[in-house]
Amino acid sequence: MSDERTTAVLVQLFAEARFSEAEGVARGLVKEHPDSAIGWKALGTALGSTHRHLEAIQAFDRALEAVPADAETLANLGVACRATGQRERARGCFEKALKIQPAQLKALLELGHLFNEDGRYEEAQATFEHAAATHSASAEILGGLEKAL
């Protein structure tokens, strides 16, 4: 299967929430192309989606070796780090993602939640307000903002 076809298959599997199958396709891609940022990113996403966060961290780290300035991969790595209790590393991932792409929604939301959990309500409010200003207001943005107020 060509790389373009493999990517299209992965997109479809993720859209259909078929994470175990996506994991298999991603593993095949990184086996064939060990330096594939797309393959490692997809593998990390599939692993994280099935709550295998430690494995996801390893996959996202490999993806970032190939493409260090990928804001989406940094945000996904941050989510996996947060899920495993690595709060400071997660915060660093979210902040780095936002330096690269200031409107990266996942990084904004997750960083806002971290601020809320730490009692840093003004920073949480500012983060959720930035998310609302750069994206149409979703229930998660509004819920986070409500908690911060």
Side-chain angles (χ1 to χ4, degrees):
M1 186 178 328
S2 71
D3 290 349
E4 294 83 21
R5 177 73 181 125
T6 301
T7 302
V9 168
L10 284 166
V11 168
Q12 184 66 33
L13 291 171
F14 282 118
E16 295 172 0
R18 294 166 49 195
F19 304 120
S20 294
E21 291 173 69
E23 178 187 345
V25 172
R27 284 191 188 281
L29 181 57
V30 298
K31 183 177 181 181
E32 189 172 321
H33 303 284
D35 296 326
S36 170
I38 292 171
W40 287 110
K41 181 177 178 177
L43 181 58
T45 301
L47 293 166
S49 296
T50 56
H51 307 288
R52 292 162 46 210
H53 301 292
L54 290 173
E55 292 175 83
I57 289 169
Q58 294 173 341
F60 290 133
D61 282 339
R62 289 290 302 267
L64 289 167
E65 287 174 15
V67 183
D70 185 330
E72 184 179 31
T73 300
L74 284 162
N76 288 338
L77 175 59
V79 169
C81 288
R82 182 174 176 221
T84 59
Q86 300 176 52
R87 295 173 58 79
E88 288 307 311
R89 185 171 184 205
R91 184 182 330 273
C93 290
F94 299 139
E95 289 172 348
K96 187 172 180 180
L98 292 169
K99 284 181 184 172
I100 296 164
Q101 184 182 345
Q104 214 296 330
L105 184 57
K106 184 180 291 185
L108 285 167
L109 294 175
E110 293 289 334
L111 185 59
H113 290 307
L114 279 176
F115 286 146
N116 261 337
E117 292 166 6
D118 292 343
R120 297 166 61 182
Y121 301 115
E122 289 180 13
E123 291 166 283
Q125 180 180 352
T127 302
F128 286 117
E129 285 176 349
H130 179 65
T134 55
H135 300 275
S136 49
S138 71
E140 186 169 2
I141 293 172
L142 297 175
L145 187 55
E146 184 178 295
K147 287 179 185 176
L149 296 177

